[in-house]
Amino acid sequence: MNVALLVCYDGTDFSGWQIQKNGRTVQYELESALSRAFSLSVRVTGSGRTDAGVHAAGQVCNFPFDENIKIAPEKIADALNACLPQDVRVLKSAAVPEEFDACRSAKKKTYRYCVYLSRREHPLMERYAVRSGERPDPARMKACAALLEGEHDFAAFSASGSSVKTTVRTVYSAAVGEQMRFGVPCVSFDVCGNGFLYNMVRIMAGAVLAFGAGRLSEKEILAALRTGDREVLSKTMPAKGLTLLSVDYGFPLFGE
Amino acid sequence: MNVALLVCYDGTDFSGWQIQKNGRTVQYELESALSRAFSLSVRVTGSGRTDAGVHAAGQVCNFPFDENIKIAPEKIADALNACLPQDVRVLKSAAVPEEFDACRSAKKKTYRYCVYLSRREHPLMERYAVRSGERPDPARMKACAALLEGEHDFAAFSASGSSVKTTVRTVYSAAVGEQMRFGVPCVSFDVCGNGFLYNMVRIMAGAVLAFGAGRLSEKEILAALRTGDREVLSKTMPAKGLTLLSVDYGFPLFGE
């Protein structure tokens, strides 16, 4: 039986999703919980990696489950949660078609980047957002986000050193939201696309913020998209402001 | 010179505001930072205590500052932040009238209690909110909050064992808000009053939630207000969902 999980984690104390020799990883914690809960020794396939410090509200993964274990698929979540550390939780579990692969079957992913606006550090904000001492203009941020929508070569929005076949991706939507949280103004940048290059969302978020603060122009954004030149763009924003919100497979995995 | 601070802290790893023999406290961290930054050995007066685990976005305190130290009052915040652990920050500092006392001068305080609605624990929510597996009706929660507004004897909304002259308090406003956070439905209960009994906000929040879920009736809330009988009300909600939002002194302390 092929089982999918909807997984949420606080990335603060993780060295990312993917198992590695040194460092605590989400994938390891899940595989370890499967081993403890069900004596299952399997590889868990995630929709993709998340970097050290990146959070997830809706990561998806799948693994082969032993049919002989008598448990309703939707209860696997509870059994795993009993074995997981408190910064990872399985929100839902379900049996999925045999051909389902959390990575290869993914159609769209949505990420959120959170920034809070404050002259000084705010302890209640620091965990899931990054501070900006600037006062970016939300209208300008929205205009910049709109420039990034569509199919583009996002080479300029990618960390150097990554080897991929193509740097063309489609951004279905890029939106800027404003919220107050505990009295502090916050801006969020939500981006949905068919795939993302390494550090792409964090570089996009930095560009949107810089554009909002008047440090980048429309001409420069368009030139970056056209030329692939990373130089003009702002530096990559810190990991802790980034959260993987959801992965879309074109059908409801968990029966919603 | 009398100096006031606007202080923010993540209460998770604190045994509350007030200095005690065992346990890490916010008051101790501030006094310790004053000692390290300015070699000042003074007592810091808070607007009131907060319990272990309770957060603050806008706690206010004051202390006597040495006039001979050459620093602009608004820069004291930065000097202290350089000496504080990362879960406490001074957002603002200012010189205030000599007669100002953060506790006795306080006119109103506003607290927020945060609940998130989820069948299972959500690691990105757990730090500043409490999970409810119920689906409380927001309209009912708002109706309950409205019942608590005004001048009442809040004896039923107080932890036993506290000795105060009177249990009559005025609640200027009690409001319920709904938000989505990382895709998770959240409800917040904001209450502003001229003072609060021990555990009063946490008991009120529990009552509002129980009322919203249909576990408490208007008759029972009104009876609790009339008789002072704590029995009918829900139990005190956990500390981590509570945040001191602001303290109002009837004039702008920090020159806003």
mmCIF file with all atom_site columns, all heavy atoms in Angstrom, chain A residues 8 74 78 89 91 120-123 127 181, chain B residues 8 74 78 89-91 120-123 127 181:
data_model
loop_
_atom_site.group_PDB
_atom_site.id
_atom_site.type_symbol
_atom_site.label_atom_id
_atom_site.label_alt_id
_atom_site.label_comp_id
_atom_site.label_asym_id
_atom_site.label_entity_id
_atom_site.label_seq_id
_atom_site.pdbx_PDB_ins_code
_atom_site.Cartn_x
_atom_site.Cartn_y
_atom_site.Cartn_z
_atom_site.occupancy
_atom_site.B_iso_or_equiv
_atom_site.pdbx_formal_charge
_atom_site.auth_seq_id
_atom_site.auth_comp_id
_atom_site.auth_asym_id
_atom_site.auth_atom_id
_atom_site.pdbx_PDB_model_num
ATOM 1   N N   . CYS A 1 8   ? 3.976   18.737 8.781  1.00 0.00 ? 8   CYS A N   1
ATOM 2   C CA  . CYS A 1 8   ? 4.234   20.109 9.192  1.00 0.00 ? 8   CYS A CA  1
ATOM 3   C C   . CYS A 1 8   ? 5.439   20.111 10.105 1.00 0.00 ? 8   CYS A C   1
ATOM 4   O O   . CYS A 1 8   ? 5.550   19.238 10.971 1.00 0.00 ? 8   CYS A O   1
ATOM 5   C CB  . CYS A 1 8   ? 2.980   20.572 9.924  1.00 0.00 ? 8   CYS A CB  1
ATOM 6   S SG  . CYS A 1 8   ? 3.159   22.115 10.719 1.00 0.00 ? 8   CYS A SG  1
ATOM 7   N N   . GLU A 1 74  ? -5.830  6.433  7.655  1.00 0.00 ? 74  GLU A N   1
ATOM 8   C CA  . GLU A 1 74  ? -5.941  7.784  8.228  1.00 0.00 ? 74  GLU A CA  1
ATOM 9   C C   . GLU A 1 74  ? -5.490  7.847  9.691  1.00 0.00 ? 74  GLU A C   1
ATOM 10  O O   . GLU A 1 74  ? -5.295  8.932  10.231 1.00 0.00 ? 74  GLU A O   1
ATOM 11  C CB  . GLU A 1 74  ? -7.369  8.333  8.073  1.00 0.00 ? 74  GLU A CB  1
ATOM 12  C CG  . GLU A 1 74  ? -8.456  7.562  8.779  1.00 0.00 ? 74  GLU A CG  1
ATOM 13  C CD  . GLU A 1 74  ? -9.020  6.397  7.957  1.00 0.00 ? 74  GLU A CD  1
ATOM 14  O OE1 . GLU A 1 74  ? -8.356  5.955  6.986  1.00 0.00 ? 74  GLU A OE1 1
ATOM 15  O OE2 . GLU A 1 74  ? -10.111 5.912  8.295  1.00 0.00 ? 74  GLU A OE2 1
ATOM 16  N N   . ASP A 1 78  ? -1.677  9.458  13.652 1.00 0.00 ? 78  ASP A N   1
ATOM 17  C CA  . ASP A 1 78  ? -1.627  9.458  15.120 1.00 0.00 ? 78  ASP A CA  1
ATOM 18  C C   . ASP A 1 78  ? -0.523  8.548  15.646 1.00 0.00 ? 78  ASP A C   1
ATOM 19  O O   . ASP A 1 78  ? 0.177   8.894  16.600 1.00 0.00 ? 78  ASP A O   1
ATOM 20  C CB  . ASP A 1 78  ? -2.983  9.019  15.692 1.00 0.00 ? 78  ASP A CB  1
ATOM 21  C CG  . ASP A 1 78  ? -4.096  9.985  15.318 1.00 0.00 ? 78  ASP A CG  1
ATOM 22  O OD1 . ASP A 1 78  ? -3.893  11.211 15.492 1.00 0.00 ? 78  ASP A OD1 1
ATOM 23  O OD2 . ASP A 1 78  ? -5.144  9.540  14.836 1.00 0.00 ? 78  ASP A OD2 1
ATOM 24  N N   . ARG A 1 89  ? 5.004   17.158 12.974 1.00 0.00 ? 89  ARG A N   1
ATOM 25  C CA  . ARG A 1 89  ? 3.729   16.467 13.167 1.00 0.00 ? 89  ARG A CA  1
ATOM 26  C C   . ARG A 1 89  ? 3.166   16.065 11.813 1.00 0.00 ? 89  ARG A C   1
ATOM 27  O O   . ARG A 1 89  ? 3.317   16.784 10.817 1.00 0.00 ? 89  ARG A O   1
ATOM 28  C CB  . ARG A 1 89  ? 2.705   17.374 13.853 1.00 0.00 ? 89  ARG A CB  1
ATOM 29  C CG  . ARG A 1 89  ? 2.856   17.465 15.361 1.00 0.00 ? 89  ARG A CG  1
ATOM 30  C CD  . ARG A 1 89  ? 2.552   16.136 16.030 1.00 0.00 ? 89  ARG A CD  1
ATOM 31  N NE  . ARG A 1 89  ? 2.802   16.139 17.457 1.00 0.00 ? 89  ARG A NE  1
ATOM 32  C CZ  . ARG A 1 89  ? 3.982   15.848 18.017 1.00 0.00 ? 89  ARG A CZ  1
ATOM 33  N NH1 . ARG A 1 89  ? 5.020   15.566 17.271 1.00 0.00 ? 89  ARG A NH1 1
ATOM 34  N NH2 . ARG A 1 89  ? 4.107   15.834 19.325 1.00 0.00 ? 89  ARG A NH2 1
ATOM 35  N N   . LEU A 1 91  ? -0.115  15.795 9.904  1.00 0.00 ? 91  LEU A N   1
ATOM 36  C CA  . LEU A 1 91  ? -1.465  16.345 10.021 1.00 0.00 ? 91  LEU A CA  1
ATOM 37  C C   . LEU A 1 91  ? -2.504  15.388 9.454  1.00 0.00 ? 91  LEU A C   1
ATOM 38  O O   . LEU A 1 91  ? -3.609  15.295 9.959  1.00 0.00 ? 91  LEU A O   1
ATOM 39  C CB  . LEU A 1 91  ? -1.561  17.697 9.318  1.00 0.00 ? 91  LEU A CB  1
ATOM 40  C CG  . LEU A 1 91  ? -0.684  18.813 9.898  1.00 0.00 ? 91  LEU A CG  1
ATOM 41  C CD1 . LEU A 1 91  ? -0.824  20.089 9.065  1.00 0.00 ? 91  LEU A CD1 1
ATOM 42  C CD2 . LEU A 1 91  ? -1.054  19.095 11.354 1.00 0.00 ? 91  LEU A CD2 1
ATOM 43  N N   . ARG A 1 120 ? 13.508  47.560 15.633 1.00 0.00 ? 120 ARG A N   1
ATOM 44  C CA  . ARG A 1 120 ? 14.291  46.670 16.488 1.00 0.00 ? 120 ARG A CA  1
ATOM 45  C C   . ARG A 1 120 ? 13.744  45.252 16.436 1.00 0.00 ? 120 ARG A C   1
ATOM 46  O O   . ARG A 1 120 ? 12.587  45.037 16.114 1.00 0.00 ? 120 ARG A O   1
ATOM 47  C CB  . ARG A 1 120 ? 14.289  47.201 17.923 1.00 0.00 ? 120 ARG A CB  1
ATOM 48  C CG  . ARG A 1 120 ? 14.981  48.566 18.048 1.00 0.00 ? 120 ARG A CG  1
ATOM 49  C CD  . ARG A 1 120 ? 15.141  49.004 19.495 1.00 0.00 ? 120 ARG A CD  1
ATOM 50  N NE  . ARG A 1 120 ? 15.995  50.177 19.586 1.00 0.00 ? 120 ARG A NE  1
ATOM 51  C CZ  . ARG A 1 120 ? 15.555  51.424 19.850 1.00 0.00 ? 120 ARG A CZ  1
ATOM 52  N NH1 . ARG A 1 120 ? 14.269  51.657 20.067 1.00 0.00 ? 120 ARG A NH1 1
ATOM 53  N NH2 . ARG A 1 120 ? 16.411  52.429 19.912 1.00 0.00 ? 120 ARG A NH2 1
ATOM 54  N N   . GLU A 1 121 ? 14.583  44.298 16.781 1.00 0.00 ? 121 GLU A N   1
ATOM 55  C CA  . GLU A 1 121 ? 14.175  42.889 16.815 1.00 0.00 ? 121 GLU A CA  1
ATOM 56  C C   . GLU A 1 121 ? 12.972  42.687 17.729 1.00 0.00 ? 121 GLU A C   1
ATOM 57  O O   . GLU A 1 121 ? 12.894  43.287 18.793 1.00 0.00 ? 121 GLU A O   1
ATOM 58  C CB  . GLU A 1 121 ? 15.318  42.026 17.360 1.00 0.00 ? 121 GLU A CB  1
ATOM 59  C CG  . GLU A 1 121 ? 16.192  41.437 16.283 1.00 0.00 ? 121 GLU A CG  1
ATOM 60  C CD  . GLU A 1 121 ? 17.268  40.548 16.880 1.00 0.00 ? 121 GLU A CD  1
ATOM 61  O OE1 . GLU A 1 121 ? 17.066  39.973 17.966 1.00 0.00 ? 121 GLU A OE1 1
ATOM 62  O OE2 . GLU A 1 121 ? 18.336  40.461 16.249 1.00 0.00 ? 121 GLU A OE2 1
ATOM 63  N N   . HIS A 1 122 ? 12.083  41.803 17.333 1.00 0.00 ? 122 HIS A N   1
ATOM 64  C CA  . HIS A 1 122 ? 10.878  41.517 18.118 1.00 0.00 ? 122 HIS A CA  1
ATOM 65  C C   . HIS A 1 122 ? 10.849  40.013 18.376 1.00 0.00 ? 122 HIS A C   1
ATOM 66  O O   . HIS A 1 122 ? 10.622  39.227 17.451 1.00 0.00 ? 122 HIS A O   1
ATOM 67  C CB  . HIS A 1 122 ? 9.646   41.967 17.320 1.00 0.00 ? 122 HIS A CB  1
ATOM 68  C CG  . HIS A 1 122 ? 8.405   42.088 18.136 1.00 0.00 ? 122 HIS A CG  1
ATOM 69  N ND1 . HIS A 1 122 ? 7.885   41.045 18.847 1.00 0.00 ? 122 HIS A ND1 1
ATOM 70  C CD2 . HIS A 1 122 ? 7.591   43.154 18.368 1.00 0.00 ? 122 HIS A CD2 1
ATOM 71  C CE1 . HIS A 1 122 ? 6.793   41.453 19.469 1.00 0.00 ? 122 HIS A CE1 1
ATOM 72  N NE2 . HIS A 1 122 ? 6.595   42.716 19.206 1.00 0.00 ? 122 HIS A NE2 1
ATOM 73  N N   . PRO A 1 123 ? 11.057  39.591 19.629 1.00 0.00 ? 123 PRO A N   1
ATOM 74  C CA  . PRO A 1 123 ? 11.171  38.151 19.913 1.00 0.00 ? 123 PRO A CA  1
ATOM 75  C C   . PRO A 1 123 ? 9.970   37.321 19.460 1.00 0.00 ? 123 PRO A C   1
ATOM 76  O O   . PRO A 1 123 ? 10.140  36.165 19.089 1.00 0.00 ? 123 PRO A O   1
ATOM 77  C CB  . PRO A 1 123 ? 11.311  38.096 21.436 1.00 0.00 ? 123 PRO A CB  1
ATOM 78  C CG  . PRO A 1 123 ? 11.874  39.414 21.818 1.00 0.00 ? 123 PRO A CG  1
ATOM 79  C CD  . PRO A 1 123 ? 11.315  40.404 20.837 1.00 0.00 ? 123 PRO A CD  1
ATOM 80  N N   . ARG A 1 127 ? 10.913  33.986 14.985 1.00 0.00 ? 127 ARG A N   1
ATOM 81  C CA  . ARG A 1 127 ? 10.998  32.559 14.665 1.00 0.00 ? 127 ARG A CA  1
ATOM 82  C C   . ARG A 1 127 ? 10.563  32.223 13.236 1.00 0.00 ? 127 ARG A C   1
ATOM 83  O O   . ARG A 1 127 ? 11.153  31.348 12.599 1.00 0.00 ? 127 ARG A O   1
ATOM 84  C CB  . ARG A 1 127 ? 10.182  31.754 15.677 1.00 0.00 ? 127 ARG A CB  1
ATOM 85  C CG  . ARG A 1 127 ? 10.611  30.310 15.782 1.00 0.00 ? 127 ARG A CG  1
ATOM 86  C CD  . ARG A 1 127 ? 9.977   29.656 16.999 1.00 0.00 ? 127 ARG A CD  1
ATOM 87  N NE  . ARG A 1 127 ? 10.314  28.259 17.059 1.00 0.00 ? 127 ARG A NE  1
ATOM 88  C CZ  . ARG A 1 127 ? 11.324  27.755 17.773 1.00 0.00 ? 127 ARG A CZ  1
ATOM 89  N NH1 . ARG A 1 127 ? 12.096  28.544 18.485 1.00 0.00 ? 127 ARG A NH1 1
ATOM 90  N NH2 . ARG A 1 127 ? 11.550  26.457 17.769 1.00 0.00 ? 127 ARG A NH2 1
ATOM 91  N N   . ARG A 1 181 ? 0.468   41.523 13.323 1.00 0.00 ? 181 ARG A N   1
ATOM 92  C CA  . ARG A 1 181 ? 0.596   40.374 14.207 1.00 0.00 ? 181 ARG A CA  1
ATOM 93  C C   . ARG A 1 181 ? 1.144   40.883 15.537 1.00 0.00 ? 181 ARG A C   1
ATOM 94  O O   . ARG A 1 181 ? 2.224   41.449 15.588 1.00 0.00 ? 181 ARG A O   1
ATOM 95  C CB  . ARG A 1 181 ? 1.517   39.328 13.570 1.00 0.00 ? 181 ARG A CB  1
ATOM 96  C CG  . ARG A 1 181 ? 1.678   38.097 14.431 1.00 0.00 ? 181 ARG A CG  1
ATOM 97  C CD  . ARG A 1 181 ? 1.990   36.860 13.610 1.00 0.00 ? 181 ARG A CD  1
ATOM 98  N NE  . ARG A 1 181 ? 2.436   35.787 14.480 1.00 0.00 ? 181 ARG A NE  1
ATOM 99  C CZ  . ARG A 1 181 ? 1.632   34.999 15.197 1.00 0.00 ? 181 ARG A CZ  1
ATOM 100 N NH1 . ARG A 1 181 ? 0.324   35.159 15.133 1.00 0.00 ? 181 ARG A NH1 1
ATOM 101 N NH2 . ARG A 1 181 ? 2.126   34.065 15.979 1.00 0.00 ? 181 ARG A NH2 1
ATOM 102 N N   . CYS B 1 8   ? 9.362   43.473 25.016 1.00 0.00 ? 8   CYS B N   1
ATOM 103 C CA  . CYS B 1 8   ? 8.713   42.365 24.342 1.00 0.00 ? 8   CYS B CA  1
ATOM 104 C C   . CYS B 1 8   ? 9.457   41.088 24.703 1.00 0.00 ? 8   CYS B C   1
ATOM 105 O O   . CYS B 1 8   ? 10.693  41.091 24.714 1.00 0.00 ? 8   CYS B O   1
ATOM 106 C CB  . CYS B 1 8   ? 8.799   42.654 22.854 1.00 0.00 ? 8   CYS B CB  1
ATOM 107 S SG  . CYS B 1 8   ? 8.279   41.316 21.843 1.00 0.00 ? 8   CYS B SG  1
ATOM 108 N N   . GLU B 1 74  ? 16.366  57.581 24.301 1.00 0.00 ? 74  GLU B N   1
ATOM 109 C CA  . GLU B 1 74  ? 15.824  56.659 23.297 1.00 0.00 ? 74  GLU B CA  1
ATOM 110 C C   . GLU B 1 74  ? 16.862  55.647 22.805 1.00 0.00 ? 74  GLU B C   1
ATOM 111 O O   . GLU B 1 74  ? 16.509  54.660 22.149 1.00 0.00 ? 74  GLU B O   1
ATOM 112 C CB  . GLU B 1 74  ? 15.208  57.428 22.121 1.00 0.00 ? 74  GLU B CB  1
ATOM 113 C CG  . GLU B 1 74  ? 16.167  58.293 21.330 1.00 0.00 ? 74  GLU B CG  1
ATOM 114 C CD  . GLU B 1 74  ? 16.332  59.706 21.910 1.00 0.00 ? 74  GLU B CD  1
ATOM 115 O OE1 . GLU B 1 74  ? 15.983  59.925 23.086 1.00 0.00 ? 74  GLU B OE1 1
ATOM 116 O OE2 . GLU B 1 74  ? 16.835  60.574 21.181 1.00 0.00 ? 74  GLU B OE2 1
ATOM 117 N N   . ASP B 1 78  ? 18.857  50.281 22.652 1.00 0.00 ? 78  ASP B N   1
ATOM 118 C CA  . ASP B 1 78  ? 19.907  49.574 21.902 1.00 0.00 ? 78  ASP B CA  1
ATOM 119 C C   . ASP B 1 78  ? 21.000  49.054 22.826 1.00 0.00 ? 78  ASP B C   1
ATOM 120 O O   . ASP B 1 78  ? 21.493  47.936 22.648 1.00 0.00 ? 78  ASP B O   1
ATOM 121 C CB  . ASP B 1 78  ? 20.504  50.502 20.836 1.00 0.00 ? 78  ASP B CB  1
ATOM 122 C CG  . ASP B 1 78  ? 19.471  50.921 19.805 1.00 0.00 ? 78  ASP B CG  1
ATOM 123 O OD1 . ASP B 1 78  ? 18.764  50.034 19.286 1.00 0.00 ? 78  ASP B OD1 1
ATOM 124 O OD2 . ASP B 1 78  ? 19.351  52.130 19.543 1.00 0.00 ? 78  ASP B OD2 1
ATOM 125 N N   . ARG B 1 89  ? 13.521  41.701 24.216 1.00 0.00 ? 89  ARG B N   1
ATOM 126 C CA  . ARG B 1 89  ? 14.028  42.880 23.527 1.00 0.00 ? 89  ARG B CA  1
ATOM 127 C C   . ARG B 1 89  ? 13.306  44.120 24.028 1.00 0.00 ? 89  ARG B C   1
ATOM 128 O O   . ARG B 1 89  ? 12.115  44.084 24.351 1.00 0.00 ? 89  ARG B O   1
ATOM 129 C CB  . ARG B 1 89  ? 13.799  42.787 22.009 1.00 0.00 ? 89  ARG B CB  1
ATOM 130 C CG  . ARG B 1 89  ? 14.815  41.935 21.273 1.00 0.00 ? 89  ARG B CG  1
ATOM 131 C CD  . ARG B 1 89  ? 16.202  42.561 21.301 1.00 0.00 ? 89  ARG B CD  1
ATOM 132 N NE  . ARG B 1 89  ? 17.235  41.721 20.721 1.00 0.00 ? 89  ARG B NE  1
ATOM 133 C CZ  . ARG B 1 89  ? 17.927  40.799 21.388 1.00 0.00 ? 89  ARG B CZ  1
ATOM 134 N NH1 . ARG B 1 89  ? 17.688  40.576 22.656 1.00 0.00 ? 89  ARG B NH1 1
ATOM 135 N NH2 . ARG B 1 89  ? 18.873  40.109 20.778 1.00 0.00 ? 89  ARG B NH2 1
ATOM 136 N N   . VAL B 1 90  ? 14.063  45.217 24.110 1.00 0.00 ? 90  VAL B N   1
ATOM 137 C CA  . VAL B 1 90  ? 13.485  46.513 24.423 1.00 0.00 ? 90  VAL B CA  1
ATOM 138 C C   . VAL B 1 90  ? 13.158  47.174 23.097 1.00 0.00 ? 90  VAL B C   1
ATOM 139 O O   . VAL B 1 90  ? 14.047  47.417 22.281 1.00 0.00 ? 90  VAL B O   1
ATOM 140 C CB  . VAL B 1 90  ? 14.470  47.364 25.243 1.00 0.00 ? 90  VAL B CB  1
ATOM 141 C CG1 . VAL B 1 90  ? 13.863  48.729 25.534 1.00 0.00 ? 90  VAL B CG1 1
ATOM 142 C CG2 . VAL B 1 90  ? 14.845  46.644 26.528 1.00 0.00 ? 90  VAL B CG2 1
ATOM 143 N N   . LEU B 1 91  ? 11.869  47.439 22.850 1.00 0.00 ? 91  LEU B N   1
ATOM 144 C CA  . LEU B 1 91  ? 11.459  48.028 21.574 1.00 0.00 ? 91  LEU B CA  1
ATOM 145 C C   . LEU B 1 91  ? 11.649  49.542 21.581 1.00 0.00 ? 91  LEU B C   1
ATOM 146 O O   . LEU B 1 91  ? 11.965  50.139 20.562 1.00 0.00 ? 91  LEU B O   1
ATOM 147 C CB  . LEU B 1 91  ? 10.004  47.673 21.268 1.00 0.00 ? 91  LEU B CB  1
ATOM 148 C CG  . LEU B 1 91  ? 9.711   46.181 21.067 1.00 0.00 ? 91  LEU B CG  1
ATOM 149 C CD1 . LEU B 1 91  ? 8.219   45.954 20.830 1.00 0.00 ? 91  LEU B CD1 1
ATOM 150 C CD2 . LEU B 1 91  ? 10.515  45.613 19.895 1.00 0.00 ? 91  LEU B CD2 1
ATOM 151 N N   . ARG B 1 120 ? -5.185  17.905 14.873 1.00 0.00 ? 120 ARG B N   1
ATOM 152 C CA  . ARG B 1 120 ? -3.893  17.442 15.383 1.00 0.00 ? 120 ARG B CA  1
ATOM 153 C C   . ARG B 1 120 ? -2.981  18.621 15.681 1.00 0.00 ? 120 ARG B C   1
ATOM 154 O O   . ARG B 1 120 ? -3.159  19.712 15.136 1.00 0.00 ? 120 ARG B O   1
ATOM 155 C CB  . ARG B 1 120 ? -3.244  16.500 14.369 1.00 0.00 ? 120 ARG B CB  1
ATOM 156 C CG  . ARG B 1 120 ? -4.049  15.223 14.161 1.00 0.00 ? 120 ARG B CG  1
ATOM 157 C CD  . ARG B 1 120 ? -3.310  14.203 13.307 1.00 0.00 ? 120 ARG B CD  1
ATOM 158 N NE  . ARG B 1 120 ? -4.003  12.917 13.319 1.00 0.00 ? 120 ARG B NE  1
ATOM 159 C CZ  . ARG B 1 120 ? -4.728  12.435 12.287 1.00 0.00 ? 120 ARG B CZ  1
ATOM 160 N NH1 . ARG B 1 120 ? -4.844  13.124 11.174 1.00 0.00 ? 120 ARG B NH1 1
ATOM 161 N NH2 . ARG B 1 120 ? -5.316  11.262 12.393 1.00 0.00 ? 120 ARG B NH2 1
ATOM 162 N N   . GLU B 1 121 ? -1.992  18.403 16.523 1.00 0.00 ? 121 GLU B N   1
ATOM 163 C CA  . GLU B 1 121 ? -1.016  19.445 16.866 1.00 0.00 ? 121 GLU B CA  1
ATOM 164 C C   . GLU B 1 121 ? -0.324  19.974 15.617 1.00 0.00 ? 121 GLU B C   1
ATOM 165 O O   . GLU B 1 121 ? 0.008   19.202 14.715 1.00 0.00 ? 121 GLU B O   1
ATOM 166 C CB  . GLU B 1 121 ? 0.062   18.868 17.786 1.00 0.00 ? 121 GLU B CB  1
ATOM 167 C CG  . GLU B 1 121 ? -0.235  19.068 19.235 1.00 0.00 ? 121 GLU B CG  1
ATOM 168 C CD  . GLU B 1 121 ? 0.909   18.552 20.101 1.00 0.00 ? 121 GLU B CD  1
ATOM 169 O OE1 . GLU B 1 121 ? 2.070   18.538 19.652 1.00 0.00 ? 121 GLU B OE1 1
ATOM 170 O OE2 . GLU B 1 121 ? 0.618   18.155 21.240 1.00 0.00 ? 121 GLU B OE2 1
ATOM 171 N N   . HIS B 1 122 ? -0.070  21.276 15.597 1.00 0.00 ? 122 HIS B N   1
ATOM 172 C CA  . HIS B 1 122 ? 0.583   21.922 14.456 1.00 0.00 ? 122 HIS B CA  1
ATOM 173 C C   . HIS B 1 122 ? 1.821   22.649 14.985 1.00 0.00 ? 122 HIS B C   1
ATOM 174 O O   . HIS B 1 122 ? 1.703   23.664 15.677 1.00 0.00 ? 122 HIS B O   1
ATOM 175 C CB  . HIS B 1 122 ? -0.395  22.903 13.810 1.00 0.00 ? 122 HIS B CB  1
ATOM 176 C CG  . HIS B 1 122 ? -0.013  23.318 12.434 1.00 0.00 ? 122 HIS B CG  1
ATOM 177 N ND1 . HIS B 1 122 ? 1.183   23.934 12.154 1.00 0.00 ? 122 HIS B ND1 1
ATOM 178 C CD2 . HIS B 1 122 ? -0.655  23.207 11.243 1.00 0.00 ? 122 HIS B CD2 1
ATOM 179 C CE1 . HIS B 1 122 ? 1.250   24.192 10.859 1.00 0.00 ? 122 HIS B CE1 1
ATOM 180 N NE2 . HIS B 1 122 ? 0.151   23.748 10.284 1.00 0.00 ? 122 HIS B NE2 1
ATOM 181 N N   . PRO B 1 123 ? 3.016   22.136 14.651 1.00 0.00 ? 123 PRO B N   1
ATOM 182 C CA  . PRO B 1 123 ? 4.231   22.719 15.241 1.00 0.00 ? 123 PRO B CA  1
ATOM 183 C C   . PRO B 1 123 ? 4.404   24.228 15.008 1.00 0.00 ? 123 PRO B C   1
ATOM 184 O O   . PRO B 1 123 ? 4.971   24.901 15.855 1.00 0.00 ? 123 PRO B O   1
ATOM 185 C CB  . PRO B 1 123 ? 5.364   21.945 14.553 1.00 0.00 ? 123 PRO B CB  1
ATOM 186 C CG  . PRO B 1 123 ? 4.748   20.656 14.150 1.00 0.00 ? 123 PRO B CG  1
ATOM 187 C CD  . PRO B 1 123 ? 3.316   20.972 13.821 1.00 0.00 ? 123 PRO B CD  1
ATOM 188 N N   . ARG B 1 127 ? 3.638   27.447 19.619 1.00 0.00 ? 127 ARG B N   1
ATOM 189 C CA  . ARG B 1 127 ? 4.417   28.298 20.510 1.00 0.00 ? 127 ARG B CA  1
ATOM 190 C C   . ARG B 1 127 ? 3.603   29.445 21.119 1.00 0.00 ? 127 ARG B C   1
ATOM 191 O O   . ARG B 1 127 ? 3.797   29.799 22.273 1.00 0.00 ? 127 ARG B O   1
ATOM 192 C CB  . ARG B 1 127 ? 5.621   28.856 19.751 1.00 0.00 ? 127 ARG B CB  1
ATOM 193 C CG  . ARG B 1 127 ? 6.760   29.257 20.673 1.00 0.00 ? 127 ARG B CG  1
ATOM 194 C CD  . ARG B 1 127 ? 8.022   29.521 19.878 1.00 0.00 ? 127 ARG B CD  1
ATOM 195 N NE  . ARG B 1 127 ? 9.070   30.020 20.723 1.00 0.00 ? 127 ARG B NE  1
ATOM 196 C CZ  . ARG B 1 127 ? 10.010  29.264 21.281 1.00 0.00 ? 127 ARG B CZ  1
ATOM 197 N NH1 . ARG B 1 127 ? 10.032  27.973 21.072 1.00 0.00 ? 127 ARG B NH1 1
ATOM 198 N NH2 . ARG B 1 127 ? 10.935  29.807 22.075 1.00 0.00 ? 127 ARG B NH2 1
ATOM 199 N N   . ARG B 1 181 ? -3.683  31.387 9.637  1.00 0.00 ? 181 ARG B N   1
ATOM 200 C CA  . ARG B 1 181 ? -2.232  31.524 9.779  1.00 0.00 ? 181 ARG B CA  1
ATOM 201 C C   . ARG B 1 181 ? -1.602  30.260 9.221  1.00 0.00 ? 181 ARG B C   1
ATOM 202 O O   . ARG B 1 181 ? -1.874  29.165 9.708  1.00 0.00 ? 181 ARG B O   1
ATOM 203 C CB  . ARG B 1 181 ? -1.880  31.742 11.249 1.00 0.00 ? 181 ARG B CB  1
ATOM 204 C CG  . ARG B 1 181 ? -0.387  31.903 11.468 1.00 0.00 ? 181 ARG B CG  1
ATOM 205 C CD  . ARG B 1 181 ? -0.066  32.729 12.692 1.00 0.00 ? 181 ARG B CD  1
ATOM 206 N NE  . ARG B 1 181 ? 1.327   32.635 13.030 1.00 0.00 ? 181 ARG B NE  1
ATOM 207 C CZ  . ARG B 1 181 ? 2.312   33.317 12.438 1.00 0.00 ? 181 ARG B CZ  1
ATOM 208 N NH1 . ARG B 1 181 ? 2.030   34.183 11.468 1.00 0.00 ? 181 ARG B NH1 1
ATOM 209 N NH2 . ARG B 1 181 ? 3.560   33.155 12.794 1.00 0.00 ? 181 ARG B NH2 1
#
